Amino acid sequence: MSKANSTSTRQREEEDEQGSAHGAAGEQLSTAPREERPDTGAGVPAMSVIGWVRWFWRQLTSMRVALILLFLLSLGAIPGSLIPQTSVDDMKVQAFKEQHTTLTPIYEALQLFDVYSSVWFSAIYILLFVSLIGCIVPRTGQFVGQLRSRPPGAPKRLTRLPAYTTWRTEAEPEEVRAAALAMLRGRRFRGHEVGDAVAAEKGYLREAGNLVFHIALIVMLIAFASGQLFKSEGGKLVVEGDGFSNTLTQYDDFKSGSLYDSDSLAPFSFVLDDFVGTYEKSGPQRGTPRTFEARVTYAEGADGAERKGVIKVNEPLVVDGTKVYLIAHGYAPVVTVRDGTGKVVSKSAVPLLPIDNNITSSGAIKVMDGYKDKNGKKTQLGFKAFFVPTFAGHGKGQMFSQFPALDFPVLALSAYQGSLGVDSGLAQNVYQLDTSKMKEFKDKDGELLKKMLMPGEKLDLPDGAGSITYEGTEEWASFQISQQPGNGWALGGAIAAIAGLAGSLFIQRRRVWVRAVRGADGVTVVEMAGLGRSESAKLPEELGDLSAALVTTAPVAPEKPAASTSTDGDGPDATNEAGSRPVQPAEAPAEGAEK
């Protein structure tokens, strides 16, 4: 009993001695909870400002943060495509604000009506830009260094690599290494001879593709920024027979980037000769446009020669870097207004705006100057207009178009007189009639004077006040004239990004070593091994192909009696002076690879 007690006491003493010997190392390895100790002021010193700046820079230039910023940029673009943007269509923004009075203050506070110029979107954009540059610069230097360096020499034990094969040959080691180097270079490996082995490497374009992808992202960001800063975009509605000259005064609306210079407008002009629109006449796609094109005559420069051109949907006219897109189409009834004496006061084609797919259109006809009433007093006339290109006929429902083509055009008018409000200096919608300062013309029943007219018919105003005649119908086309210098760079960057990403994903970087040494029995032992710098299931297969190609130059030596290979206790598991396991003839494959 006493002997057992003394033994246990001795064990405890030994454990205490071991614990004191281990000291702090034992405490670090222990998983037991630590006892809280009072702060003695000897802890880790706080980082300085420079230390925090370095830490922030390392985080910002990491791949993880770059991917997060790219993801946030994609998320930030979503509201820009779902919510009307002031930079695209201010009218839609105003309509949205009127319909959503509760959401409007929230959206305005978050700058969701101007997403791409908002503070938060710009911050993500700039941080992503800096992150990509900070990631590319050091990696480019490392890649250049790798291109200038040679593949590393062979490891001591090739048998430990994931793909390995070996055989014995009667060829000289020097011949084997020379043949291996020539064979690897012929297969586009970068190789050289180091000691008793040949080292080769392939797949450098993987990192090149990665760098191209990141550089292409920077190009796309720069192109997007330059496009927003230097772009110009405007709209113009042109009636058949009329034209457009690329000057600011000719635009119906015009928007540009903050750094755009109006002097850089490309000098050109065009005339809308004819608009051609044909539609499916039957079937489930009845009314679908089949031909939708504007035929124009355009000239580049002030004195350029006139040329014919056709503008189609998604097929713009390109003049000196400026693109003219066809974006809309409609009808413009030609009306003639006469006063009480029969004098022609106004004759023009008045564009009306479509309100449905069958081009039912509405608008206003305004006579601002030249009209006098029966008393000789100058006044103004206004007509609310409603037009259908294909009328169903009287007694066949409401007056809405049944087909978008001009098969049965009808113009409905209601007449007013007084002040149109255009002399106040305030902007006014040309397609709406402000009747707040106007009086209705009355018919014989005392109701608002209105009438449906077919081509050639007229509406007589009461008390000899004149008339308005519906002469016929012209067609109009609406064009978007756009100049955005970064589009070509953005497209090139997108293509380069896809190519670089494909290269970084599908190109595999791998290293191959071929060692050829003379064995103890005088026969050359050839070892070949491969190592992938990234996961690749084809590495053993490729190594098998390489070994098969090398076997043609260094064929497998014929087998010898087993007794001849066993001397002085050197068995199959011994190692030679090169550190590789000598392979017995029975183990040596003619070709292929073993893992």
Side-chain angles (χ1 to χ4, degrees), residues 71 150 223 234 264 537 558:
F71 178 69
R150 290 186 173 187
S264 61

Side-chain angles (χ1 to χ4, degrees), residues 88-161:
V88 177
D89 194 334
D90 189 59
M91 298 295 293
K92 286 187 177 180
V93 173
Q94 295 300 326
F96 183 91
K97 291 181 177 180
E98 293 174 359
Q99 296 175 2
H100 304 85
T101 56
T102 304
L103 291 176
T104 295
I106 301 175
Y107 284 7
E108 289 179 340
L110 297 176
Q111 299 178 300
L112 295 183
F113 294 116
D114 299 281
V115 168
Y116 303 111
S117 59
S118 63
V119 175
W120 56 269
F121 190 86
S122 300
I124 297 173
Y125 188 89
I126 294 173
L127 286 175
L128 177 60
F129 189 82
V130 174
S131 176
L132 289 174
I133 292 179
C135 183
I136 287 174
V137 171
R139 294 186 66 171
T140 302
Q142 294 173 3
F143 181 60
V144 172
Q146 292 173 0
L147 292 178
R148 298 177 63 182
S149 63
R150 290 186 173 187
K156 184 177 181 181
R157 298 183 180 274
L158 294 179
T159 55
R160 295 180 178 180
L161 298 182

Side-chain angles (χ1 to χ4, degrees), residues 489-525:
W489 285 99
L491 177 61
I495 295 174
I498 294 174
L501 183 61
S504 65
L505 291 177
F506 297 109
I507 296 177
Q508 302 298 326
R509 188 171 175 183
R510 59 272 194 203
R511 290 172 179 171
V512 174
W513 293 275
V514 181
R515 173 174 285 142
V517 295
R518 194 179 303 279
D521 57 354
V523 180
T524 302
V525 178

Side-chain angles (χ1 to χ4, degrees), residues 205-321:
L205 289 180
R206 177 185 178 88
E207 181 62 19
N210 200 356
L211 291 174
V212 167
F213 172 73
H214 288 83
I215 294 173
L217 288 182
I218 292 181
V219 171
M220 293 173 64
L221 291 175
I222 295 176
F224 178 76
S226 64
Q228 293 297 313
L229 293 174
F230 297 97
K231 74 174 183 178
S232 69
E233 185 176 277
K236 179 64 177 179
L237 187 149
V238 183
V239 181
E240 287 177 329
D242 292 342
F244 167 79
S245 180
N246 193 27
T247 59
L248 285 177
T249 57
Q250 288 282 303
Y251 283 92
D252 294 333
D253 59 84
F254 183 83
K255 296 178 181 179
S256 62
S258 57
L259 299 181
Y260 182 78
D261 185 3
S262 59
D263 293 336
S264 61
L265 282 173
F268 71 91
S269 60
F270 68 87
V271 175
L272 179 59
D273 299 325
D274 186 26
F275 182 87
V276 178
T278 60
Y279 308 89
E280 188 69 35
K281 294 184 176 295
S282 60
Q285 294 185 339
R286 184 176 185 271
T288 303
R290 294 307 180 198
T291 303
F292 207 71
E293 59 186 36
R295 299 173 181 175
V296 299
T297 300
Y298 69 97
E300 184 174 352
D303 302 319
E306 292 186 346
R307 304 175 184 176
K308 296 291 184 180
V310 177
I311 306 175
K312 301 179 181 179
V313 177
N314 296 326
E315 296 183 19
L317 174 68
V318 182
V319 183
D320 194 16

